[in-house]
Amino acid sequence: MATMYTARQPRVGSAGGFGCGSRVPGASLPGERMGTRKKVHAFVRVKPTDDFAHEMIRYGDDKRSIDIHLKKDIRRGVVNNQQTDWSFKLDGVLHDASQDLVYETVAKDVVSQALDGYNGTIMCYGQTGAGKTYTMMGATENYKHRGILPRALQQVFRMIEERPTHAITVRISYLEIYNESLFDLLSTLPYVGPSVTPMTIVENPQGVFVKGLSVHLTSQEEDAFSLLFEGETNRIIASHTMNKNSSRSHCIFTIYLEAHSRTLSEEKYITSKINLVDLAGSERLGKSGSEGQVLKEATYINKSLSFLEQAIIALGDQKRDHIPFRQCKLTHALKDSLGGNCNMVLVTNIYGEAAQLEETLSSLRFASRMKLVTTEPAINEKYDAERMVKNLEKELALLKQELAIHDSLTNRTFVTYDPMDEIQIAEINSQVRRYLEGTLDEIDIISLRQIKEVFSQFRVVLSQQEQEVESTLRRKYTLIDRNDLVAISAIQKAGLVDVDGHLVGEPEGQNFGLGVAPFSTKPGKKAKPKKTFKEPLSSLARKEGASSPVNGKDLDYVSTSKTQLVPSSKDGDVKDMLSRDRETSSIEPLPSDSPKEELRPIRPDTPPSKPVAFEEFKNEQGSEINRIFKENKSILNERRKRASETTQHINAIKREIDVTKEALNFQKSLREKQDRKHHRLLGFPSLNHNPVPGQLP
């Protein structure tokens, strides 16, 4: 039975030879409109050989499928369930295809779309010696044999020349991943210099980039090719039985594009990048015969390719939430390309010989899995901050001109829209003060900027008045900390506060001062006239007038919970008493006023006790809560009663079980005694008797 691997199929075809050939109509990537999601395109290129296995490898008539047939192993016997047929549906099979045809089919549309703002990735995968590096780089002996990478550079610079309306900059980097270590293939240039810190892969909201990798600006095609050849000379290659020039590392050549419109009013620009990936080939150590350092390199190569296939399998499974990109440097560096914002194309290089059929099957399975991966290509648009500022400045100037024309038509020529200077701000402050004093009936509204400044000056005047009131109160009163027991005792002796710490005022004519009259003040007894707190506050209010009212914030200095205010007229006496009390506080205890506190009558505004207040709350505001509480309480009592009855019933059943168990045990023991007695009467040995060996019972 044949296994069929299917996926969405674009048009593709092939013909010709590995070094020469002709273009097949409809063999390029379809010019489909870029959507939100699209499949990865996978192509297969077969290496030409004189020993092609025609009986085992067959191509479909549409040049988009490849069938593999294996003969059954007769050594497994008659019953043999070995699979012998496979069929793979791909985007194109390139057999005996020229380098021109390969580029037209695989890479041309990806490169052209990159100049429109879409990221692109072209990857070559396959067994060692199957022609990956030849497909990507080509051969230097013949100009016609150049690969995808040189042709992509040539196409980029030709398309730049065809777009004179845009200023397009090209930058290039060349990364090598060798034995799970990152290397910059362009670090040997004289103006780059060696890197002090090792390169690392970093992720940010813009994507994945390699920290420490040099990026080079190129303005001409010749400069780009010089960088390419410089990097190629630094690549690590080795020789084994299957390939004399085997690449021992994965290489990623990246072309960064940035296109700005030459129109100065256009603030939007696009960016994109093209990743050209030449993977190291997978090796079967038994065939390649690798040893020593080459064996170590092959181990790293096979391991990274295995992790790459795991990531591809996870990307193809729509139910998977986690994709293992960080298992190796290769998958981490290609995170944007594999299933991200990118046009992805895979070229799988295989052998056409029967001896390599197992590795060919493995490569074709990888290509089929890659076709299940979807990407989300989108145009990378950004905005030039400098151009945005210039455009906004122009727009602001035009709007000011429009306002000037409108004001002239409505006879408002005196209105200005420039920021206010200090003279205008001072004038508005004066108007606000006169408005608060009552000398100015209204403030004329001219513009929105003036309205905002009026409110701002209101805030300034209010803040200044609060500071003036605060400084006046501080000059007239002394602040005392309530936690200072010595100071409190001193001012109590001076008659300024009562034992509860409340401020005290003296009766004065028909008016009363702030606070509560002290207990020592008896009716009918004349007290020495003292300056009350009402007089300074009222006189202060009269002096300040309308421009400096005593608001609630200022009165906080009188009834603050942390401090006590003492009139400044007694500052000298209070300070003297404080100093004397602090000196004698450690020797003389404070006098006790407990007898007077017992005789103190209850003030009419004294709140009720907690039990009384709670009963009033239950009967009035909390009546509904009290009713619900009583209902819940009765339900709880009923359930508790049921639980108690159930417990008693269970205990009774338990007692019956225990009595029955004891009766059964008694019957069992009685039956055992009867059995032993019956055996003795019949002359049989006892069941519990163990006779001695050699002795008759």
Side-chain angles (χ1 to χ4, degrees):
M1 181 183 292
T3 302
M4 178 71 72
Y5 297 84
T6 61
R8 185 168 62 88
Q9 303 300 320
R11 297 172 295 136
V12 72
S14 61
F18 193 60
C20 61
S22 60
R23 176 75 181 272
V24 176
S28 63
L29 280 171
E32 58 185 344
R33 183 178 180 182
M34 305 300 288
T36 55
R37 299 185 70 88
K38 62 179 295 186
K39 294 286 186 179
V40 172
H41 295 284
F43 298 89
V44 172
R45 188 179 191 185
V46 184
K47 184 177 181 179
T49 177
D50 296 334
D51 191 16
F52 188 82
H54 294 281
E55 296 180 356
M56 298 182 180
I57 303 175
R58 296 186 180 91
Y59 307 130
D61 296 335
D62 56 354
K63 300 297 182 181
R64 298 180 189 175
S65 62
I66 182 170
D67 300 329
I68 306 296
H69 174 72
L70 285 177
K71 295 181 180 180
K72 282 193 175 183
D73 189 356
I74 59 176
R75 292 175 298 179
R76 295 192 178 187
V78 178
V79 180
N80 187 354
N81 295 323
Q82 176 187 2
Q83 184 176 350
T84 58
D85 296 284
W86 292 265
S87 180
F88 300 91
K89 297 288 289 183
L90 303 163
D91 292 314
V93 178
L94 303 173
H95 179 61
D96 291 338
S98 65
Q99 294 285 67
D100 290 335
L101 178 61
V102 170
Y103 184 78
E104 292 287 330
T105 305
V106 172
K108 186 175 181 179
D109 287 348
V110 175
V111 175
S112 63
Q113 289 172 0
L115 272 79
D116 295 329
Y118 294 97
N119 295 333
T121 297
I122 303 171
M123 179 187 299
C124 289
Y125 175 89
Q127 185 185 2
T128 179
K132 298 180 301 300
T133 302
Y134 179 80
T135 300
M136 182 60 66
M137 300 301 303
T140 57
E141 294 82 5
N142 193 333
Y143 181 74
K144 293 182 179 180
H145 294 170
R146 65 192 188 283
I148 293 176
L149 206 161
R151 293 172 185 268
L153 286 175
Q154 187 180 36
Q155 181 183 352
V156 165
F157 283 97
R158 286 183 179 178
M159 292 185 68
I160 290 175
E161 294 177 356
E162 296 172 358
R163 300 191 181 190
T165 58
H166 288 76
I168 303 176
T169 58
V170 181
R171 294 179 175 85
I172 288 174
S173 66
Y174 209 169
L175 174 67
E176 180 184 48
I177 304 175
Y178 173 73
N179 290 353
E180 281 301 296
S181 298
L182 303 176
F183 296 95
D184 185 1
L185 292 178
L186 301 179
S187 62
T188 56
L189 295 172
Y191 56 87
V192 176
S195 177
V196 179
T197 58
M199 292 190 297
T200 56
I201 301 174
V202 181
E203 295 185 36
N204 60 12
Q206 285 72 35
V208 178
F209 69 97
V210 180
K211 185 178 180 180
L213 180 65
S214 61
V215 181
H216 304 265
L217 177 65
T218 58
S219 57
Q220 296 179 355
E221 184 178 345
E222 292 77 10
D223 298 337
F225 278 105
S226 297
L227 294 174
L228 173 61
F229 297 147
E230 177 70 22
E232 282 298 302
T233 56
N234 295 328
R235 289 189 63 174
I236 298 176
I237 59 175
S239 176
H240 53 74
T241 57
M242 299 187 65
N243 191 357
K244 293 189 298 182
N245 298 315
S246 175
S247 301
R248 313 310 295 165
S249 61
H250 310 296
C251 293
I252 304 174
F253 187 90
T254 306
I255 306 172
Y256 304 90
L257 302 174
E258 185 174 309
H260 292 261
S261 175
R262 296 188 185 275
T263 305
L264 296 179
S265 60
E266 182 64 35
E267 58 197 28
K268 189 186 302 182
Y269 68 97
I270 58 175
T271 62
S272 62
K273 64 179 179 179
I274 307 172
N275 290 322
L276 301 166
V277 185
D278 182 15
L279 298 175
S282 59
E283 296 182 20
R284 180 160 292 190
L285 301 180
K287 293 183 178 181
S288 63
S290 301
E291 295 179 354
Q293 182 65 22
V294 180
L295 175 62
K296 179 181 178 181
E297 294 168 351
T299 304
Y300 276 105
I301 292 171
N302 291 337
K303 183 179 179 181
S304 61
L305 293 177
S306 176
F307 287 144
L308 175 62
E309 188 166 5
Q310 291 178 18
I312 296 303
I313 294 173
L315 286 168
D317 188 358
Q318 300 297 331
K319 298 180 181 179
R320 289 283 293 269
D321 295 330
H322 173 69
I323 310 299
F325 284 119
R326 299 191 179 214
Q327 287 187 340
C328 66
K329 297 289 195 331
L330 176 63
T331 54
H332 198 185
L334 295 176
K335 182 178 179 180
D336 288 345
S337 303
L338 303 174
N341 174 19
C342 181
N343 288 318
M344 180 73 181
V345 177
L346 173 71
V347 180
T348 303
N349 297 84
I350 62 173
Y351 280 93
E353 301 171 357
Q356 310 296 336
L357 205 56
E358 292 184 5
E359 289 77 9
T360 297
L361 277 173
S362 177
S363 299
L364 291 173
R365 290 193 189 100
F366 180 85
S368 298
R369 289 164 180 162
M370 180 66 83
K371 280 190 62 60
L372 300 177
V373 179
T374 58
T375 60
E376 297 182 8
I379 297 178
N380 302 298
E381 294 181 343
K382 296 183 179 180
Y383 291 89
D384 190 340
E386 184 177 356
R387 290 191 178 184
M388 285 182 66
V389 171
K390 291 181 179 179
N391 292 338
L392 290 174
E393 289 177 348
K394 290 181 179 179
E395 185 177 359
L396 182 61
L398 290 174
L399 290 175
K400 285 184 176 181
Q401 293 176 3
E402 291 288 340
L403 282 173
I405 295 174
H406 176 73
D407 291 337
S408 63
L409 294 176
T410 55
N411 295 326
R412 298 174 73 246
T413 55
F414 56 89
V415 179
T416 60
Y417 298 98
D418 296 327
M420 292 187 175
D421 54 17
E422 296 180 358
I423 298 176
Q424 292 173 328
I425 294 175
E427 176 61 26
I428 293 176
N429 183 278
S430 175
Q431 292 177 359
V432 169
R433 290 185 178 275
R434 284 185 286 143
Y435 179 79
L436 292 174
E437 293 172 357
T439 59
L440 183 64
D441 294 335
E442 60 183 15
I443 300 175
D444 295 332
I445 301 301
I446 300 176
S447 63
L448 181 61
R449 191 187 298 274
Q450 185 236 4
I451 294 174
K452 292 182 178 180
E453 189 61 37
V454 167
F455 280 105
S456 177
Q457 292 304 315
F458 266 111
R459 187 183 294 110
V460 171
V461 171
L462 179 61
S463 176
Q464 292 175 353
Q465 291 177 358
E466 289 177 352
Q467 294 176 2
E468 291 174 1
V469 173
E470 180 180 350
S471 61
T472 303
L473 289 174
R474 287 186 177 275
R475 286 197 305 269
K476 292 183 177 294
Y477 298 96
T478 301
L479 297 177
I480 298 176
D481 190 356
R482 283 185 177 275
N483 297 324
D484 191 350
L485 299 179
V486 178
I488 295 296
S489 176
I491 60 176
Q492 284 177 354
K493 290 180 180 180
L496 299 175
V497 297
D498 59 3
V499 291
D500 293 333
H502 298 108
L503 292 173
V504 176
E506 291 294 334
E508 186 175 305
Q510 300 298 325
N511 299 324
F512 290 89
L514 297 175
V516 181
F519 179 74
S520 58
T521 304
K522 297 180 180 181
K525 181 177 179 182
K526 285 189 176 181
K528 294 181 180 180
K530 296 181 180 179
K531 191 172 184 180
T532 64
F533 297 117
K534 187 175 183 67
E535 182 179 353
L537 292 175
S538 58
S539 62
L540 175 62
R542 287 194 298 270
K543 290 178 181 178
E544 295 297 333
S547 62
S548 59
V550 181
N551 53 21
K553 182 178 178 181
D554 303 324
L555 290 177
D556 289 343
Y557 286 96
V558 179
S559 59
T560 180
S561 62
K562 296 286 184 181
T563 58
Q564 292 285 357
L565 292 176
V566 182
S568 60
S569 59
K570 287 189 174 280
D571 281 351
D573 298 337
V574 172
K575 291 179 181 178
D576 293 340
M577 295 180 68
L578 289 177
S579 61
R580 290 198 301 271
D581 283 1
R582 286 194 177 94
E583 292 174 358
T584 60
S585 59
S586 60
I587 302 174
E588 298 180 0
L590 294 174
S592 175
D593 295 336
S594 57
K596 296 181 181 181
E597 292 176 359
E598 294 175 0
L599 298 176
R600 179 188 299 244
I602 300 176
R603 295 195 298 267
D605 58 346
T606 301
S609 60
K610 289 184 179 179
V612 176
F614 183 61
E615 291 298 329
E616 292 179 357
F617 172 75
K618 290 195 297 181
N619 295 331
E620 296 176 1
Q621 295 92 339
S623 59
E624 182 65 18
I625 299 175
N626 188 32
R627 183 186 64 78
I628 297 173
F629 174 74
K630 288 182 178 180
E631 290 179 358
N632 292 338
K633 186 175 181 182
S634 62
I635 294 171
L636 180 62
N637 291 334
E638 181 66 23
R639 292 181 179 176
R640 187 178 297 168
K641 183 178 178 181
R642 291 180 184 175
S644 178
E645 293 175 355
T646 305
T647 304
Q648 293 177 3
H649 182 64
I650 293 173
N651 290 335
I653 295 174
K654 178 67 168 58
R655 287 193 293 271
E656 292 179 3
I657 293 173
D658 293 340
V659 171
T660 305
K661 187 176 180 181
E662 291 179 0
L664 289 174
N665 291 333
F666 177 75
Q667 291 292 336
K668 183 178 180 181
S669 62
L670 184 61
R671 188 178 295 109
E672 290 177 353
K673 289 180 181 179
Q674 291 177 356
D675 291 342
R676 286 196 296 269
K677 183 177 179 181
H678 182 68
H679 281 81
R680 285 198 299 269
L681 290 175
L682 295 176
F684 292 129
S686 175
L687 295 175
N688 297 329
H689 178 67
N690 297 322
V692 179
Q695 181 181 358
L696 294 175

